[in-house]
Each structure stands twice: as C-alpha cells, then as structure tokens.
Amino acid sequence: MDRKWISANRLSKEYEIGVKEFVEFAVKNAKDPNRVVCPCLKCCFGKRVREDELEGHLVCNGIDQSYTCWIRHGEKKKGNINFENSSTYASTDFDTDTYEPDRVDEIAKAVEEDLRDCPKMFESLLSDAEKELYNGCTKFTRLSAILKLYNLKASNGWSDKSFTELLTLIKDMLPDDNELPSRTYEAKRILCSIGMSYERIHACPNDCILFRNEYELLKACPKCNVSRYKKKESTPAKVVWYFPIIPRFRRMYRSEEDSKHLTWHADERIRDGMFRHPADSPQWAKIDHEYPEFGIESRNLRLALSTDGMNPHGLQSISHSTWPVILVIYNLPPC
C-alpha cells in the first residue's frame, strides 16, 4: 500500500483517499472497531476513538508522518514480532485489585524503537517476555513476574535486602525449573532494558568537566590536572548519577493515561481566573506569547529544575556533598 499520501497536503484528494484506506485497514484489524488507536498529531497514539472520529481527526489534525509502518494497527513488521496478536500473560483472573494486567506486550512495543540500535538487548527482553516462568505456567512469563514483584517492592518501600529474601523464598516454592531470579541485582539487570536504567559518569573532583565523550579515556582533568581517581584507579573521585530523560518522556506519551495527563493543562483545566496550577500563572502566558510555536502545541513539555543540599564552597559543616537534581514536569495535573 502506497504511503506517500501521509506527507501530502491535507486538502488534497490524495490525502483524503489515503485516510479512507488507513481507516479501513485500522478498523479491519482492530479488536474493537469502536476503540481504534488514533495516530493524529493531537492524540499522538494516546487516545482510542470510533471509526468516524478517526477519519475526522486525521483530516483535521494530520497524521504523524513518521508512522509509515502501521504496527499499532495490526501491520506486521518484517523481522519483528507482531505484538498485537501475541499472547498476553496478564493475571486478570484474580479477584484482588493488587494484580492488574501486566501490559508486557505494550512495554515491548514501547521499547522496540528505543532499542533498535541494541538488537541483543531487545532480543533478551523479548525472550524474557515470552519465556514461561516455569514449564506449563500460562499466567506469568519471566518478565511479567519480575515486573509485578518489583512493583510491589516499589509500592511498599521494601529494601533490596528484603526483596532478595522474598525472591529466594518464592524461587524455592516454585518448581525446580522456574526462571525467577533469586537476587534483587539480577531483577534490576533484566528491568534495565525497559528504561529503568541510569548512567554513572565520572566527574572532575573540582567540577571542571565530566569524563565523557572526548574526555572519556582521560585519567586526569585537562583543565586542573587533578586525577580522575582516588588512590586506586578503580575508584573514581566523584561520580554523577544520570537518569536519561528522553526515553522516559517517550514512554509517557506512549501510555494512554500518561499522555492524557500531559495535555491536561490544555484540555481539562478550569479557567476561572483562580491560581490552581502553573498554567494559570502570568509566566506561563508570557512563554506562550514570546514563543508562540512552542505554546500552541499542548504536548510540549514545560520543565522545572530544582536541587537541594548544594555546598559548592564548603560553607556548610557537612562531610558529604550529595546533590540531588530534580526535574519537574509542569504539564501534569495537581495530585
């Protein structure tokens, strides 16, 4: 099927015919024709709409021009798994609210693009998503079991030590051929590939540079000539812990619920002159006025950077210098 219409003028006959062909294809392959994922520039795969709404959205808002392989609407991509039709090991048979559908297929689809340059990592993730927790298990895969258990750890504030003890106990309870990791460290390594990772970047003790890019192989700072390491070369003098934000932003917009929250300030905010949210402030309006191309798109993220505990000149009587740097997303609604 020719996809040139995607970049055509929305008022052209070519675009109109292309939209009709896409809607027909999407509805034909949808599990529920009344809940089709919308790829228009406003919904950005974050909403599900009816057939008539889908055509209207694409004509009025346009379509994501990078969406040339319709994997979100049932098209199989050569060399990849068709996640729409793959089996889901979601434990929906439980009567308790603790176990929600694990959405492993959705996670795999979300990280496929991010791991395109790391085929081995994606293959490992895909293998864990398909591997039974133990022989004959139909409710959980290795990945879904780890996700559910780690979610309980995070929700209840369990320490790594207590979580390791729990994993060891559960592993002993399961059949001998089970694939559950026995340590927190192993579980974290598996989850790293779906975006829960971080980078440790060595820094100059005097904060001149970060030892990355062209400085990555240096053993001393090129500006102040101070050693990168302590007495032993295996121990860095100072380390920056960095959590990559771009993959996290992408994942937020791939979640229907999260993407709805990120545009809440434009779609659902009450406008009555009261100051309830940063979007009600004159500073927000000033940004919209000075940068109209940025302000007109409600999906653009507005961020705030904050920190605490800084002691740059050693004025405080503290023996450590841990500086948490926090990035806040202003788009989100109040709690």
Side-chain angles (χ1 to χ4, degrees), residues 285-300:
K286 183 180 179 181
I287 293 294
D288 288 347
H289 177 73
E290 294 186 357
Y291 305 97
E293 292 183 359
F294 176 86
I296 198 172
E297 177 52 75
S298 61
R299 293 172 297 176
N300 285 336

Side-chain angles (χ1 to χ4, degrees), residues 310-316 323:
M310 290 185 67
N311 185 25
H313 304 295
L315 300 178
Q316 302 176 19
W323 304 352

Side-chain angles (χ1 to χ4, degrees), residues 264-280:
W264 170 90
H265 65 91
D267 301 333
E268 302 180 36
R269 176 170 56 93
I270 299 174
R271 295 173 172 82
D272 59 359
M274 303 297 290
F275 198 158
R276 296 187 177 89
H277 187 270
D280 300 316

